[in-house]
Each structure stands twice: as C-alpha cells, then as structure tokens.
Amino acid sequence: MTTARRLAHWGTSPLDVPADVDAAAKRHLLDGLGTAIAGHRSGTVDPVLEVAAGLGGPPEAVALGDDRRIGAPAAALATGALVHALDFDDTHAGGLVHATAVVLPAVFAVGQQVGATGRQALDAAVVGYETVCRIAAAAPHGFHTRGLHATMVAGVFSSALVTARLTGQEPGTATDALGIAGSQAGGLLAFLGTGASTKQLHPGLASHAGILAARLAAAGASGPATVLDGPNGLYDALSAVPADPESVVEGLGDRWETTRIGIKPYPACQLMHVTLDAMREVAVRESFGAADVVSIIADVHPDSAPTVCPPGRDLVHPNTPYAAKFSLPWSTAAMLVDGTVGLDTYEPASLDRLEVSDVAARISWNITDPVGHAADAAGRVVVRLKDGRDVVGSVSGSAGTTAHPLTDDQLHQKFLGNAGHGGQAVADLLARLEDEPSLDALVAALHSAIHPVPGPGGPS
C-alpha cells in the first residue's frame, strides 16, 4: 500500500485523540485565530480579502471577520492569508512549516460548509496537523533548499485530507484527493529578495488548492496514489535532499507531531528567534545598550543562514517589513535597541531608524556545525563592548519551541495582544470546542472580536 493510501485511510477513519493532543491542537488554533485577527486589523492582506469576496460562490462559509457567506475554497483562501499575514503564526521545527496557517482555514471553511460539530472540527484539525508536519519533515529543509516554501508544498495535502475527512470521503477518494493536491504543491521563495507579499498568500493558496483537490476527487477525478513515493512524485520533483516517505505514516496514532509544533513569541522568521533570545539574555544580564557595543558575532545554524543572513541581500537597511523579518542583523539590532521585538518593530515607519541600522552594521555571524533541526538549535552571541570586554549570551533553544514552550498564560497573553480583549469570548469557546454543536458560535465571536460594537462612550 502506498504512503498516500495509508495516510488517507488513517485520516478518514475514526480517531482516538489523546487529551494532550487535543489540548495542543486547541492551543494552536487559538494562536492562529489571534494572528488572523491581528492580520485582519493590519490590513496587510486586504487584496486577498477583496479577491476572495469577489470569487463568491455558494453560501457555504464566511472568511474570518467577514459576514458574507461565500464558497468554502474562497473563504479558506482569505483565512489562510490572514493567519500568516504578520508571520506571527506557529512553526513545526522538523518540517519548518507554518502548520496552523494551512490547517485552520480548511477546518474553518469546510467545517462551516458541512455543519461540523466542534469535535469533528477538532479531529479534522489533528489530521491536518499530522499531515502537514509529517510530509514536510520527511525531507528536512529539502523544499527550502530547492527554493520552495514548505508550508505551501505540504499544506495542499493537509487541506485536501481535512476536506476529505469533513466531507465523509472514503479512503480511495481521499487518496485521489492527495494525488491531485500534489500537482498543486509549490510556492517560490523569491519573495525573500524582494519583500513581495507572496509568502503571505501561500497558506491561503494551499488551503484553496487542497479543498479543490478533494472536490475534484469527489467528482470522479483521479490522482496518483504514488504522489508521495514516486517515481516523479513530490519528493523526487521538489526536494533537494533525500526523503523518507515511510516516516509520513510511521507511528500514526501513536506518535503525534501535533504536540511538537512551536508557538512564536516574535513576529519574525523563527530561524533567528534563538539569536534574539541570546541577545536579550546577555543585554539584560550585563546591563548594556547599543551605545556600548563595538561588534556582535552570532552563531547561525547552516540551514538557517540562507534564509536569515544570505549573501547578496541588504540585511542592514531592509526596505520592507518582510525583508526586516528575515534579516537576522536588523532584527537582532532591534532587540538590543528596544529590548523586545513585537508587531510595532516591523511597522514601515520603524524600518528607517538609524540607531537600529547602525547596530545591524556591526553584526556578523559564524556558521556552526549542522546539529539537529535549525529551528531547535541553540543560540549564542559574542558581544564586544567598548570597555574591552567580550560578553557571551547563550540559550539552549528559543522560547516557544517544544523544548521551551510558552505557558498557557503566555499564549493567552499573546492571543489577547493580537485579538484584543474582545477575543476572550473566542478563547472561551475554543477551550470547549469539542462540546460545541457547530462552529456558528465561534464564527460569531470572531466577527465580534474584529468588529466590536462601539459602546456609549465610544469604541470599545
């Protein structure tokens, strides 16, 4: 039996989800809803919302924050872009994928379409998380090395299987859905050099494509069951490193990648979070500021370097928020200057600060030995101070990873920071999602959080 058939059989069968996996899925859905609300308020992906609304379709679902019912594929297109709009959403280290950005849109849109219960939606989310994480992790950094965004590459499969499960497809049809989805896998990393918005579009495009793949399969179209095994399958065509397709299905139902997804404390590329943590650690411990620094040398994992400090890109004077989010020198300098890195750090008006670019120009890096996953790597910076001392900041891993997870309270505070206090109703509903008869109450709470009704004293 091929890998796709085995995955489809598992993904469409009854699940026995352990309590800790349920809890992890709800944590990530909460985080994703928060980043989507913040993305909506930022206006960053307004073009996607406009296009999704224009696509129309049968009244199956609403995109997050809208009240117009449109086709589920169009709704997922918008919601996927919203979750990833600010690059503040979660990351699975093994596959380096933004899992919730492709899982939540399909669950949310197709779940509304079919009238899914909260339990059904939660089970579908777990299937989606396992699918996107396992497919990407079977070729660690293989897609990125080839110049492809692994979130979109693997996300088409998770969206397809989420849809297949929620619409009640048989394993054979779900296998066809996965096969069809594979022909839509892609997503170029060309945005890294230009700051273009395509990275924000990728999760929505993957969600849209996955739903369409499942619909095509349901209508009778076929897809190759060998899409994950080859020849000429996903890994043969798109991975720059040898893959292990067996790992996609190994331990399904026993080993849960859903519990191994990290939650970001900073709205920037996760591959440099460990450097930001090390910079903050030494600056606080030694009580120095930007004016005291002669130079900074950061240790960088070899798999991280091409993304956050590549040759040929201006890393000192990024000209777009996305360029800054993928510049290790600039973001590390901002951490030193401001003492933190948050959404305000990457506002367009913040990019021209001379005090930040001056520090960024003094930052260099050493490429370390390739130990473990880049997203789980330890971090170290050596800071030479004007008083002649060399001080070292080091952390064993970045905050938010599975080894150093955010507490429930820290996650809740991040969520409220993104969603505003109107988001508390969303958090309350999500906490008991498995007991909800439908997604309707959650949809309404999300709309209220994004569009609060002004009180007598003005906006709430």
Side-chain angles (χ1 to χ4, degrees):
M1 187 181 292
T2 67
T3 301
R5 288 191 188 280
R6 293 165 66 188
L7 181 61
H9 189 275
W10 175 81
T12 56
S13 299
L15 292 185
D16 183 13
V17 181
D20 64 325
V21 178
D22 261 354
K26 288 193 283 188
R27 276 171 56 92
H28 291 290
L29 292 172
L30 179 69
D31 186 51
L33 290 173
T35 62
I37 293 171
H40 198 293
R41 289 177 177 158
S42 75
T44 305
V45 292
D46 281 354
V48 190
L49 308 188
E50 178 184 345
V51 169
L55 289 174
E60 296 170 336
V62 299
L64 194 150
D66 206 342
D67 57 5
R68 293 168 291 185
R69 295 188 72 83
I70 55 179
L77 171 68
T79 298
L82 285 169
V83 174
H84 196 49
L86 301 174
D87 219 290
F88 207 2
D89 48 310
D90 57 23
T91 306
H92 179 263
L96 199 60
V97 285
H98 296 278
T100 297
V102 289
V103 170
L104 187 154
V107 171
F108 195 72
V110 182
Q112 291 178 75
Q113 172 197 338
V114 302
T117 66
R119 179 69 262 171
Q120 290 168 334
L122 192 55
D123 284 350
V126 171
V127 166
Y129 283 127
E130 293 299 311
T131 300
V132 66
C133 295
R134 286 164 171 268
I135 286 177
H141 284 269
F143 303 124
H144 285 84
T145 303
R146 185 58 64 83
L148 297 170
H149 191 189
T151 298
M152 184 170 177
V153 172
V156 295
F157 295 99
S158 63
S159 299
L161 196 51
V162 164
T163 304
R165 181 179 186 86
L166 286 172
T167 55
Q169 290 186 5
E170 296 297 322
T173 307
T175 302
D176 284 323
L178 291 171
I180 295 168
S183 284
Q184 300 174 85
L188 301 179
L189 294 182
F191 65 84
L192 285 172
T194 68
S197 61
T198 48
K199 184 175 192 288
Q200 298 154 308
L201 306 182
H202 288 163
L205 293 171
S207 300
H208 183 272
I211 295 172
L212 288 182
R215 289 188 173 191
L216 286 164
S222 61
T226 55
V227 64
L228 299 176
D229 303 298
N232 301 315
L234 177 76
Y235 300 112
D236 291 348
L238 302 184
S239 175
V241 304
D244 179 16
E246 175 63 25
S247 67
V248 174
V249 292
E250 184 180 18
L252 276 172
D254 294 316
R255 171 174 60 83
W256 299 92
E257 293 301 317
T258 305
T259 64
R260 295 179 170 90
I261 303 169
I263 293 176
K264 282 187 174 184
Y266 310 122
C269 180
Q270 200 276 338
L271 293 174
M272 63 185 174
H273 282 202
V274 71
T275 305
L276 300 180
D277 284 341
M279 185 74 256
R280 182 174 61 180
E281 186 274 330
V282 68
V284 171
R285 171 166 47 83
E286 299 291 340
S287 300
F288 63 83
D292 303 311
V293 171
V294 175
S295 65
I296 300 171
I297 302 174
D299 285 350
V300 179
H301 192 285
D303 289 336
S304 300
T307 301
V308 297
C309 46
R313 195 194 312 160
D314 187 348
L315 301 173
V316 174
H317 304 96
N319 58 2
T320 68
Y322 247 77
K325 288 170 183 278
F326 283 81
S327 169
L328 181 145
W330 193 92
S331 295
T332 303
M335 173 62 82
L336 177 58
V337 170
D338 299 333
T340 188
V341 168
L343 292 174
D344 292 345
T345 303
Y346 300 104
E347 289 291 331
S350 298
L351 301 184
D352 294 330
R353 292 185 292 160
L354 292 177
E355 65 269 37
V356 176
S357 58
D358 181 58
V359 174
R362 291 178 254 158
I363 297 177
S364 58
W365 50 91
N366 289 323
I367 307 300
T368 62
D369 291 333
V371 178
H373 295 304
D376 284 333
R380 182 174 181 268
V381 295
V382 179
V383 183
R384 173 153 293 181
L385 300 175
K386 290 181 179 178
D387 64 11
R389 292 183 298 145
D390 284 344
V391 294
V392 177
S394 62
V395 292
S396 60
S398 57
T401 59
T402 53
H404 307 277
L406 299 186
T407 65
D408 287 345
D409 183 63
Q410 288 172 324
L411 172 58
H412 191 68
Q413 292 306 311
K414 176 188 174 182
F415 171 76
L416 291 181
N418 282 327
H421 288 286
Q424 185 59 53
V426 176
D428 291 342
L429 282 164
L430 196 55
R432 57 177 188 270
L433 179 61
E434 65 269 35
D435 299 322
E436 289 296 309
S438 73
L439 298 179
D440 292 345
L442 183 57
V443 170
L446 286 162
H447 190 271
S448 296
I450 294 174
H451 307 288
V453 178
S460 58

